Amino acid sequence: MTERDLLRRTAELAADHLDSLDSRPVYPRASLGGLGSALDGPLPEGPSDPLLVIEQLAADVDPGVVASQSGRYFGFVVGASLPAALAADWLVSTWDQNLGLVALGPAALVVENTAGAWTKELLGIPEDASFAFVTGCQTAHFTCLAAARQHVLAEAGWDLLENGLAGAPPITVLVGSMCHSTVGRALRYLGIGRAQIREVDSFPDGRMDPAALRVSLGECDGPTIVCAQAGEVNTGVVDDITAIADAVEGTGAWLHIDGAFGLWAAAAPSLRHLVAGHERADSWATDAHKLLNVPYDCGIAFCAHPEAHREAMTAHGAYYVRDADAMREPIDWTPEHSRRARAVPVYAAIKQLGRSGVADLVERSCAHARQLAADLAELPGCEVLNDVVLNQVLVRFADDAATASILASVQGSGEAWMSGTEWDGRTAIRLSVTSWRTSERDIERTVAAFREASGITTM
């Protein structure tokens, strides 16, 4: 058995999995205990045939694999993997480039630079903004907010690199009431505590109130960061970014946008108005493994102040081999040294789709979400709780018990999977249409599963 034979067999196993998506349960029925019985065991004392290892691994893991590539997986804003992106990701593992420095992967850096330029153009980010490909929006927030911390403290006359945070002017961070937990977590990593984070009044649908933001900004007398949101995780609503940018302008505050999935509205002509004004921000965080449908993990950070971005992230070592001709050294822009060449699947995805294909993917996902909401609304007792502006659908049934029961039934059926949540103090069901594989037939099958779960049978 040669290495080529092993990889060929691995490709067959991968294709077998993809071929099974239409018929396999979207969520696995295997228990953790059962999976442990198959996968746990003593540390091997000696080597094994690689083919046997892969064959056994595939067989033992398969019962517990979530079919997140399915067109009927609507959980957690998880995208599938476009064919070119998936294949490119295999090549990334084959090449095994550690893109911390140009010297470790010059070709991968050129691909990353192009992918960065393409994503900025697709998303309407200023051409001179810096960027970083990171693990996900959590790390993108960390990267952007580290740059923000660097910038606002420098503006206040504090040298963070020299003096650290001890004794620094306190930073105030203004967020909406529906701010995603990853923002607070990133701030915690950066030494910014809960006492420094102020919640700005929001409208009932979760959008930040720009008038309330103006009041809050007027009460700030030191370094300030404002975090706006493009795509609330339950409803998909987008803050009025133009009004927020107007409120921030002239205050010296840094405006950051959490655009994990909603920022991709900028790539779709019919949806671009939702994020109008976003180009006025100081930083942006998004995911490519959501609506762009590249494999996990891939987030992107953008910063309108490259000097602050670089100062916050750069690292130096006597043994670092820096290329004087390189446009950028990756280690200057990301919090990682050793890092996967994760921009390669992004390059491949955009190359496969082109500008029009990216727009179609985003618009089609949102159109399917609207159809899903409309069809579910016809079921007796089902209430759609949000205006479906993007790809998020939020519903509930008669009461909390009925909602939880119907959700459990649909999940247990294996036909589709979506998560539960809490909205306005009550149990709700959240569906996110994020996969390029989702079809009208997938929407029909999902609604039929809800119909059966709620006790309605088709005549």
Side-chain angles (χ1 to χ4, degrees):
M1 175 63 65
T2 66
E3 192 169 40
R4 179 177 292 274
D5 292 331
L6 173 64
L7 294 177
R8 183 179 292 113
R9 178 58 182 145
T10 303
E12 291 174 353
L13 292 168
D16 288 345
H17 172 76
L18 295 178
D19 287 345
S20 74
L21 291 175
D22 200 48
S23 58
R24 72 186 293 137
V26 175
Y27 197 84
R29 295 192 172 100
S31 67
L32 290 176
L35 292 168
S37 297
L39 292 162
D40 285 349
L43 174 68
E45 293 296 336
S48 298
D49 184 325
L51 178 61
L52 295 179
V53 170
I54 294 302
E55 293 272 10
Q56 191 65 54
L57 177 64
D60 291 345
V61 167
D62 184 73
V65 172
V66 176
S68 54
Q69 287 268 36
S70 168
R72 285 168 284 110
Y73 184 83
F74 303 112
F76 302 109
V77 204
V78 172
S81 296
L82 287 159
L86 172 58
D89 201 58
W90 290 0
L91 288 176
V92 168
S93 293
T94 301
W95 297 328
D96 197 23
Q97 305 291 278
N98 173 6
L99 195 54
L101 293 166
V102 176
L104 290 163
L109 175 71
V110 174
V111 171
E112 178 170 290
N113 288 341
T114 302
W118 284 353
T119 52
K120 284 192 290 183
E121 187 172 348
L122 284 169
L123 297 174
I125 304 295
E127 186 178 357
D128 58 355
S130 53
F131 64 88
F133 285 89
V134 293
T135 55
C137 213
Q138 174 69 83
T139 311
H141 287 317
F142 173 82
T143 303
C144 291
L145 293 171
R149 182 185 65 176
Q150 181 76 28
H151 181 86
V152 298
L153 287 178
E155 291 294 298
W158 184 263
D159 188 338
L160 179 65
L161 297 182
E162 180 67 25
N163 301 316
L165 279 176
I171 296 172
T172 299
V173 182
L174 302 176
V175 303
S177 61
M178 299 296 179
C179 180
H180 196 270
S181 62
T182 52
V183 173
R185 195 180 188 205
L187 291 169
R188 188 171 79 241
Y189 291 166
L190 292 164
I192 298 173
R194 286 192 295 267
Q196 295 169 263
I197 302 172
R198 299 184 192 173
E199 219 175 72
V200 177
D201 289 343
S202 299
F203 299 118
D205 64 1
R207 291 176 299 125
M208 182 188 291
D209 182 347
L213 174 62
R214 284 186 180 275
V215 173
S216 295
L217 283 167
E219 296 170 349
C220 296
D221 58 2
T224 305
I225 299 169
V226 176
C227 295
Q229 190 165 226
E232 197 279 326
V233 76
N234 287 294
T235 65
V237 297
V238 178
D239 286 341
D240 184 341
I241 299 175
T242 294
I244 288 173
D246 286 344
V248 171
E249 188 170 358
T251 66
W254 178 290
L255 176 56
H256 172 66
I257 295 179
D258 172 7
F261 60 93
L263 192 59
W264 287 93
S270 67
L271 301 168
R272 195 169 292 146
H273 65 281
L274 295 173
V275 293
H278 79 286
E279 71 282 353
R280 297 167 61 188
D282 296 288
S283 60
W284 307 256
T286 193
D287 276 318
H289 54 226
K290 289 185 169 67
L291 276 170
L292 188 60
N293 279 231
V294 305
Y296 274 84
D297 51 26
C298 186
I300 317 174
F302 302 97
C303 185
H305 304 272
E307 66 288 345
H309 183 180
R310 189 176 188 278
E311 287 176 355
M313 291 291 116
T314 191
H316 302 279
Y319 68 95
Y320 290 1
V321 179
R322 287 178 175 265
D323 190 330
D325 295 327
M327 289 180 282
R328 55 192 292 277
E329 283 281 1
I331 201 169
D332 291 334
W333 310 101
T334 74
E336 305 153 322
H337 187 310
S338 299
R339 55 191 295 267
R340 181 178 177 82
R342 61 176 58 89
V344 174
V346 174
Y347 177 97
I350 298 174
K351 191 83 168 178
Q352 175 188 332
L353 297 175
R355 187 193 305 273
S356 63
V358 173
D360 177 69
L361 174 58
V362 175
E363 290 172 340
R364 183 158 32 92
S365 296
C366 297
H368 282 143
R370 292 191 296 271
Q371 186 62 55
L372 185 58
D375 292 349
L376 288 174
E378 294 181 359
L379 301 181
C382 184
E383 177 187 5
V384 177
L385 303 174
N386 65 316
D387 180 12
V388 184
V389 293
L390 284 171
N391 61 324
Q392 303 296 102
V393 181
L394 191 66
V395 302
R396 71 163 57 110
F397 286 81
D399 52 37
D400 286 358
T403 301
S405 175
I406 290 170
L407 173 61
S409 179
V410 173
Q411 290 174 333
S413 73
E415 268 291 273
W417 199 89
M418 64 293 301
S419 64
T421 188
E422 184 176 295
W423 183 257
D424 197 24
R426 292 180 56 191
T427 300
I429 300 171
R430 185 182 71 137
L431 304 97
S432 176
V433 186
T434 319
S435 172
W436 70 272
R437 295 181 186 273
T438 299
S439 65
E440 291 184 9
R441 177 59 180 153
D442 288 317
I443 300 301
E444 292 171 0
R445 288 177 63 173
T446 300
V447 173
F450 271 97
R451 183 180 294 112
E452 182 174 348
S454 57
I456 305 166
T457 57
T458 303
M459 298 300 292

